[in-house]
Structures are given as structure tokens and as C-alpha cells.
């Protein structure tokens, strides 16, 4: 009787597990924004933070890739290596460097809100490179286009209209003065964050292609982090040559790289992969606005940041656009489900199943890529990203 009474509880917990994982993940992603902003506020260069973050991520992921994928790792050709170099430039340098720099000019909550525009930017880039088919008569295409326009409208509103300050957690006056002095760079910071969004979106699209030729997810992520470390170190040494900028102690200069490297580039991608295997990327993306709310609350409490009316309205508009785009992508997944055919040839069926599944996830954070359905069935492993 005890076993029978315990079974419903276990079933309920199994059903709730993806929801609990995703809620916990949003808290972890929110911590990335808060700790990164805290580290930057205490004088650490954003270029140095990117170098150490990717170095920690490389050290954390490389052992798992070497041990778990030692038998199934494909050969690293020159073509794949050059693409990995490009991935190391798009995400660690173009995205992380510019996002951190934009965060210095704005705030952590503002950056997390703008980052929800990534799905819309990804859709636009995919249409430009003809990786996304646009059929105007279909409701899913209309939803993606309207969602993209709504998302960009929210971003433009946040850029052009700041509005009155809203102090939800009784922020300190000292921080109000600091925020006032940085208002001159608000638009510059927004542009930098949006360029970072574009780099992140381009990274997703290129990774969805590379991972088919190099289906060793952990090794690929470690290599991308390694290339990001090398390239960001070159940029950092050119921009900031002072030895004091590269020093690390038992303070936020150590906490920032360790947390962002392990949590954002390690645990986050693993948990996202687990949930994606059963629920898909639409389910994962649906929780991203929660991160924005958590960041806004904790940034006001811990960092004494002020929220502005324009940022709140724009964030709500961006969230609406995000859900429209993700709804359209969910219909794409349903519409691309394989239909039974009398005698499909192996090559034809494989080509159909290998059609690119463009990512739709939006976090600062940091998101995963679902590869082709055929790859998942063959490897049983989720695709991971390096954000």
C-alpha cells in the first residue's frame, strides 16, 4: 500500500521536474547578470572578465569532453576548425565583450530585458541567409514577423524613451547619482547590447550548422571556449595592458569569472539540454522573461539600481514579441513532423530530418541549440551552446 501511495507523488515530481529545473535555471542566469555587473562596478575590465570566464569554462568542460566523447569524437578538419574560430569570435568576443560593455553604460536589468530580442534577431538573420522559409499566408509566419516587429519596437522604446525612475527597493541616493552620470551613454549602451544580440544570434545559426559536421557537443563547446579565450585575450591585451587590470584576488574578480564560467557555460547548458530532449526549445524559451523579472528585483535590492518607466514598458513589449516568435517556431516544429510515406529512400529521409532547427532561446545569459531530430535519435545527447 505504501508503494502504491508513493507512486502518484513520484509521477507528480517527474512531471514537475522540467518546470523546477527551468525556474532554478532562471535564478542561475539572473545571477550571471547580477554578479557580472557587481564585478564590473568594482573595477574589473569587461575584456578581462571575458578572458577569464572562457578560460574557466574551458577548464570545466574539457575533462568531460575528453572522457565522455573519447570514442565518438570526429576528426577535426581545417574547415571545422575555421568555423570554430568564427564561433569563438561571434559569442565570446562580439556578444560577451559588447554586452558587458553595454551593461556598464546601462544596468543589469536593462541588459537582461534587451537580450530577449535574440529570437527576433535570429529570425531576421535566418531570413536574410535563406535559412528560414517565409510563407506570408501561413499564420505561423505572420506570428514570427509580427513578433519580430513588436520586439524591435520594444527595443526602440527602451532606447529612445527612458521615463521617470521607479525605485521599487528604496535604492541608495549614491547609486542614483552614478546612474544619472551614465545617462549620457544610455543609447550607446543599448546599441552595443543590440550588436551583442546580433553576434549571439549569428553564433546560434552557425553552431546549428557546425554541430552536424562535428557532433561531439561537449568537445565542441570546450573548443569554442578555448578559441574564445585565445581571441579575447588578444583583444584584452591590446585594449588593457595594465598588469593591475589582470590581477585576481579572493574577491569579486574571482567570483565573476568562476560563476559565469561554470554556471553560465556549464550547468546551464547541461540542464537546458536535459529539458530540451523531452520538452523542446519552445518550452525552454518560455521561461526567459522570468529571468528578466528576477534580475530587475535583485539588481534593485543588491546593486541599488533604479528602474525606469520606459524600460518596464519596453520589456513587456519585448516579452510579447518573444512569445509570438516562439509560438510561430512551435508551429514550425509541429508542421515539420515527418509524415508517413510508402517507401522513403534513406537519403531522402535523412535530408528531411537534417533540416536546420534554428534556435529560439533568448537568455543573457546564456542558451542551448537543438540539433536535428535524426542526430538526437542517433546520439541520445542534447546540443549545447556556449553562452
Amino acid at each position: 500500500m505504501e508503494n502504491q501511495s508513493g507512486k502518484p507523488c513520484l509521477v507528480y515530481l517527474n512531471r514537475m521536474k522540467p518546470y523546477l529545473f527551468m525556474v532554478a535555471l532562471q535564478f542561475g542566469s539572473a545571477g550571471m547578470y547580477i554578479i557580472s555587473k557587481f564585478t564590473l562596478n568594482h573595477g574589473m575590465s569587461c575584456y578581462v572578465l571575458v578572458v577569464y570566464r572562457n578560460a574557466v569554462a574551458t577548464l570545466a568542460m574539457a575533462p568531460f569532453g575528453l572522457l565522455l566523447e573519447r570514442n565518438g569524437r570526429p576528426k577535426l578538419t581545417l574547415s571545422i576548425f575555421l568555423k570554430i574560430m568564427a564561433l569563438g569570435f561571434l559569442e565570446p568576443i562580439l556578444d560577451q565583450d559588447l554586452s558587458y560593455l553595454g551593461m556598464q553604460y546601462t544596468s543589469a536589468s536593462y541588459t537582461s530585458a534587451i537580450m530577449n530580442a535574440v529570437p527576433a534577431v535570429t529570425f531576421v538573420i535566418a531570413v536574410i541567409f535563406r535559412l528560414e522559409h517565409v510563407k506570408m499566408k501561413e499564420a505561423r509566419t505572420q506570428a514570427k514577423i509580427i513578433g519580430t516587429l513588436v520586439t524591435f519596437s520594444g527595443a526602440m522604446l527602451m532606447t529612445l524613451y527612458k521615463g521617470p525612475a521607479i525605485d521599487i527597493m528604496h535604492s541608495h541616493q549614491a547609486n542614483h547619482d552614478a546612474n544619472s552620470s551614465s545617462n549620457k551613454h544610455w543609447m550607446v549602451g543599448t546599441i552595443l547590447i543590440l550588436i551583442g544580440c546580433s553576434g549571439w544570434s549569428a553564433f546560434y545559426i552557425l553552431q546549428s550548422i557546425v554541430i552536424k559536421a562535428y557532433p561531439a557537443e561537449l568537445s565542441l563547446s570546450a573548443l569554442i571556449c578555448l578559441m574564445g579565450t585565445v581571441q579575447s585575450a588578444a583583444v584584452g591585451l591590446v585594449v588593457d595592458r595594465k598588469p593591475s587590470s589582470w590581477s585576481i584576488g579572493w574577491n569579486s574578480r574571482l567570483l565573476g569569472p568562476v560563476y559565469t564560467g561554470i554556471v553560465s557555460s556549464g550547468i546551464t547548458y547541461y540542464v537546458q539540454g536535459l529539458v530540451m530532449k523531452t520538452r523542446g526549445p519552445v518550452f525552454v524559451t518560455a521561461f526567459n522573461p522570468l529571468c528578466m523579472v528576477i534580475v530587475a528585483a535583485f539588481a534593485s535590492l543588491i546593486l541599488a539600481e533604479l528602474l525606469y518607466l520606459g524600460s518596464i514598458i519596453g520589456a513587456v513589449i519585448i516579452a510579447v514579441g518573444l512569445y509570438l516568435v516562439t509560438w510561430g517556431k512551435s508551429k514550425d516544429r509541429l508542421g515539420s513532423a515527418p509524415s508517413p510515406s510508402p517507401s522513403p529512400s534513406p537519403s531522402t529521409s535523412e535530408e528531411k530530418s537534417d533540416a536546420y532547427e534554428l534556435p529560439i532561446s533568448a537568455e543573457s545569459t546564456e542558451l542551448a541549440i537543438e540539433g536535428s531530430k535524426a542526430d538526437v535519435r542517433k546520439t541520445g545527447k542534447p546540443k549545447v551552446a556556449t553562452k
Side-chain angles (χ1 to χ4, degrees), residues 25 336 386:
L25 205 61
S336 63
T386 59

Side-chain angles (χ1 to χ4, degrees), residues 195-271:
I195 295 175
C197 284
S198 302
W200 193 1
S201 300
F203 168 84
Y204 277 150
I205 293 176
L206 180 57
Q207 193 194 34
S208 68
I209 298 173
V210 174
I211 206 163
K212 296 178 185 298
Y214 196 81
E217 296 84 8
L218 292 172
S219 299
L220 178 60
S221 295
L223 287 171
I224 293 173
C225 291
L226 177 61
M227 293 300 103
T229 302
V230 174
Q231 295 181 64
S232 59
V235 174
L237 289 173
V238 171
V239 176
D240 195 343
R241 300 181 182 180
K242 294 184 294 184
S244 59
S245 300
W246 295 82
S247 62
I248 293 181
W250 293 99
N251 49 29
S252 61
R253 288 176 173 265
L254 179 63
L255 175 63
V258 170
Y259 183 92
T260 56
I262 294 178
V263 176
S264 300
S265 299
I267 297 175
T268 296
Y269 304 132
Y270 177 72
V271 173

Side-chain angles (χ1 to χ4, degrees), residues 46-272:
C46 62
Y47 304 101
V48 176
L49 177 58
V50 171
V51 175
Y52 288 151
R53 168 181 172 169
N54 285 277
V56 171
T58 303
L59 295 175
M61 301 184 72
F64 293 99
L66 291 173
L67 292 175
L68 300 179
E69 296 174 343
R70 60 181 181 275
N71 296 327
R73 190 183 304 109
K75 183 179 179 181
L76 184 62
T77 62
L78 178 61
S79 174
I80 295 175
F81 177 76
L82 293 177
K83 291 175 182 176
I84 292 176
M85 288 283 291
L87 289 171
F89 172 79
L90 288 173
E91 214 284 321
I93 294 183
L94 194 60
D95 174 31
Q96 293 179 19
D97 271 339
L98 295 184
S99 297
Y100 283 149
L101 192 58
M103 187 187 296
Q104 286 183 306
Y105 289 144
T106 56
S107 66
S109 55
Y110 186 88
T111 304
S112 66
I114 290 288
M115 280 299 176
N116 280 301
V118 168
V121 177
T122 304
F123 174 71
V124 172
I125 295 176
V127 171
I128 293 174
F129 288 94
R130 297 183 179 180
L131 297 174
E132 182 87 16
H133 300 290
V134 177
K135 297 179 181 179
M136 294 300 300
K137 294 183 179 180
E138 295 184 351
R140 58 187 179 185
T141 299
Q142 295 172 3
K144 287 184 286 187
I145 293 175
I146 295 174
T148 300
L149 295 176
V150 169
T151 300
F152 288 145
S153 299
M156 288 296 296
L157 177 64
M158 294 177 71
T159 305
L160 301 177
Y161 174 69
K162 200 170 184 180
I166 300 175
D167 189 1
I168 62 174
M169 294 287 183
H170 306 291
S171 304
H172 300 295
Q173 181 65 30
N175 191 72
H176 182 276
D177 297 336
N179 280 342
S180 298
S181 64
S182 66
N183 289 347
K184 309 171 186 177
H185 309 291
W186 196 266
M187 185 173 294
V188 176
T190 304
I191 294 173
L192 291 172
I193 296 171
L194 288 174
I195 295 175
C197 284
S198 302
W200 193 1
S201 300
F203 168 84
Y204 277 150
I205 293 176
L206 180 57
Q207 193 194 34
S208 68
I209 298 173
V210 174
I211 206 163
K212 296 178 185 298
Y214 196 81
E217 296 84 8
L218 292 172
S219 299
L220 178 60
S221 295
L223 287 171
I224 293 173
C225 291
L226 177 61
M227 293 300 103
T229 302
V230 174
Q231 295 181 64
S232 59
V235 174
L237 289 173
V238 171
V239 176
D240 195 343
R241 300 181 182 180
K242 294 184 294 184
S244 59
S245 300
W246 295 82
S247 62
I248 293 181
W250 293 99
N251 49 29
S252 61
R253 288 176 173 265
L254 179 63
L255 175 63
V258 170
Y259 183 92
T260 56
I262 294 178
V263 176
S264 300
S265 299
I267 297 175
T268 296
Y269 304 132
Y270 177 72
V271 173
Q272 281 180 340

